[in-house]
């Protein structure tokens, strides 16, 4: 019943006589953010919270190689003024990534909960988590750890508004306004990605998911760490919303990214046949990060 | 941005050369239920709560004349055992009305919140709230007030399990397990309904919405009251999830309902040109019910 992937894939029921290729596949995803659980509203704003609620959903569509289309937003526990602040971030993210908010619901409640459901479309086959094969190369669409480092900086600075230097501001923004890799997901699919997932729980945990679903292990070497972030934050930090994807060895993925005006993805390692193997720079990686961090 | 109707209507982006008629229109709706706000979990079960979360969403698709297809369910604030109870009702409602649950999300939280998003399809034109014209007849798909009467009985009986007589059980079930009028909505659309809405907030409030969006008033005469319910419960009780719809005078709607094996709908009145007029049995109706009840 549950799709178990980033988004469910649905065929459009065409009238008889139509060929299935005439309609794209419909993608459906839903993610909920809870204040105090998914964001600390003493460190970031309600507008940031609204942005994040949209971003995590858009990222689910991106991770299938789809383009987001519409969103439904249900909000619990906010008064009119707070709602306006929240919507500011929702609408900004929606506009930035071409996803119209077309409905939703408002409810009373004692806790702030924002549930978003998104639709997307994919022409051709979506990229699932399960398609990686031994020998496939593993790529990420950008450096990791920025969101976790930004959260660390915000916690150190405390709730007082703070003037950040440029490098720290980039980390704080990565936490407060994560950017779903929508264009990158489409290009990765077109370039021949065999499996893909977005980094929401951390590279180690999300790559573990992809490996489990694909029945492969992996060996990583060159994980790109965001400037100012620690390697632990890059491996286990989460909330980066870059995409990890795999491709068969000979496939050139750098060129299509550059041709689309996107930064070249980073090759970080390879899938291996032993489904239990999870290694980075020769050390065992657990879903919580490095071996030593347990 | 917001649809303002029961569900948003989305066109499938077909490949060039396809005619728009080859794909149905996609309907999107989302509704959230909050424990303690939308249901009193000391009076009904978590399975009932799950059923209701699905039912209110399926009813949104029904009110457009569509058929539900898929649902995404996001749950906040439940542990594993409670989740199982909740899903029992979700899955029962999903199965009963042909809607597959294909994804969703689980989050920690201090309050029980269930957000459902549903998709549906409609061949041809969906029935909006805005299409009623003066002279159109107003119909309901069944008697009203049962859910409110059932809630009254449950409150009187208190949290102790109670052996209900058959008539009271029907009222209690109408509250605990409301049935979205999915088949009725499709038949009403095929029979030529000009406007439609589901009765979630109460006949008076929901018909007020339909009248506002259509720019008409209304005059009601024969509102069918469920056995054991009071007229106030029928007018203002809410949560009945019967459909109210309008048709041009000469249209025969009884026959198509009977032909589909459904009970004949009840004609309850007529739309009038004066958009301020809201009358039942000669008395002014407010969104809260009868004049006297203010």
């Amino acid at each position: 019943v549950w799709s178990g992937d980033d988004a469910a894939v649905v065929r459009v029921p065409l009238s008889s006589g139509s060929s299935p290729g005439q309609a794209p596949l419909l993608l459906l995803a839903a993610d909920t953010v809870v204040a105090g659980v998914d964001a600390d509203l003493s460190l970031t704003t309600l507008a940031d919270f609204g942005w994040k609620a949209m971003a995590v959903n858009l990222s689910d569509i991106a991770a299938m190689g789809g383009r987001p289309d519409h969103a439904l937003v249900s909000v619990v526990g906010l008064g009119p003024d707070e709602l306006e602040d929240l919507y500011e971030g929702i609408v900004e993210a929606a506009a930035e990534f071409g996803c119209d908010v077309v409905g939703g619901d408002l409810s009373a409640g004692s806790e702030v909960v924002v549930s978003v459901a998104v639709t997307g479309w994919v022409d051709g086959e979506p990229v699932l988590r399960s398609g990686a094969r031994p020998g496939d190369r593993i790529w990420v669409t950008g450096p990791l750890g920025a969101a976790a480092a930004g959260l660390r900086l915000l916690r150190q600075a405390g709730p007082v508004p703070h003037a950040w230097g440029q490098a720290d501001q980039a980390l704080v923004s990565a936490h407060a306004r994560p950017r779903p890799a929508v264009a990158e997901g489409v290009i990765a699919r077109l370039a021949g990605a065999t499996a893909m997932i977005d980094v929401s729980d951390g590279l180690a945990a999300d790559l573990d998911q992809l490996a489990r679903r694909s029945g492969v292990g992996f060996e990583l070497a060159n994980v790109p760490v965001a400037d100012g972030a620690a390697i632990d934050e890059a491996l286990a930090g989460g909330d980066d919303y870059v995409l990890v994807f795999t491709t068969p060895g000979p496939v050139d993925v750098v060129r299509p990214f550059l041709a689309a005006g996107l930064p070249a993805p980073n090759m970080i390692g390879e899938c291996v046949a032993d489904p239990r193997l999870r290694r980075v720079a020769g050390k065992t990686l657990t879903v919580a990060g490095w071996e030593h961090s347990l």
Side-chain angles (χ1 to χ4, degrees), chain A:
Chain A
V1 175
W2 294 76
S3 70
D5 219 296
D6 294 282
V9 183
V10 170
R11 205 168 288 282
V12 174
L14 295 175
S15 59
S16 57
S18 310
S19 80
Q22 291 176 307
L25 293 168
L26 173 64
L27 304 174
L28 302 173
D31 259 315
T32 295
V33 292
V34 181
V37 175
D38 298 292
D40 181 340
L41 293 184
S42 73
L43 300 179
T44 51
T45 67
L46 270 172
D48 293 336
F49 193 57
W51 174 287
K52 183 171 181 180
M54 284 295 294
V56 300
N57 277 277
L58 296 169
S59 186
D60 285 334
I61 299 297
M64 308 292 286
R67 52 182 199 283
D69 197 12
H70 292 98
L72 301 165
V73 179
S74 295
V75 180
V76 176
L78 288 183
D81 289 351
E82 297 169 308
L83 260 182
E84 206 172 303
D85 292 343
L86 181 85
Y87 279 131
E88 187 191 309
I90 288 173
V91 167
E92 282 174 14
E96 180 95 14
F97 297 98
C99 182
D100 282 343
V101 178
V102 289
D105 192 23
L106 302 177
S107 303
S110 59
E111 190 170 40
V112 181
V113 176
V114 182
S115 289
V116 177
V118 284
T119 66
W121 301 101
V122 60
D123 299 304
E125 287 305 305
V127 186
L128 306 181
R129 295 178 177 176
S130 52
R133 294 294 167 260
D136 280 5
R137 290 174 178 169
I138 305 174
W139 305 79
V140 290
T141 59
L144 292 147
L151 178 58
R152 167 171 50 79
L153 292 178
L154 282 165
R155 283 181 175 152
Q156 286 165 355
V160 188
H162 197 87
W164 303 101
Q166 199 179 334
D168 287 352
Q169 181 60 55
L171 298 175
V172 167
S173 292
H175 170 73
R177 298 270 172 147
R179 297 185 64 81
V182 172
E184 290 84 347
V186 171
I187 298 299
R189 175 175 62 80
L190 294 174
T194 49
M196 187 150 58
I197 193 169
D198 67 329
V199 178
S200 52
D201 295 331
L203 178 67
D206 293 313
L207 193 46
D208 176 70
Q209 284 295 321
L210 184 150
R212 277 172 196 274
R213 305 273 300 191
S214 294
V216 298
F218 58 83
E219 174 97 52
L220 305 185
N222 317 300
V223 175
V225 181
D227 286 345
I231 178 72
D232 284 338
E233 290 168 335
L235 292 177
D239 281 340
D240 279 317
Y241 301 103
V242 305
L243 300 174
V244 196
F245 63 93
T246 57
T247 58
V251 165
D252 178 10
V253 292
V254 171
R255 192 183 308 211
F257 272 72
L258 295 179
L262 297 170
N266 299 82
M267 217 253 284
I268 61 168
E270 210 170 274
C271 297
V272 299
D274 177 356
R276 290 158 309 177
L277 191 99
R278 274 141 181 64
R279 237 170 17 202
V280 57
K283 290 184 188 174
T284 294
L285 191 70
T286 70
V287 292
W290 296 88
E291 208 172 16
H292 73 83
S293 67
L294 294 180

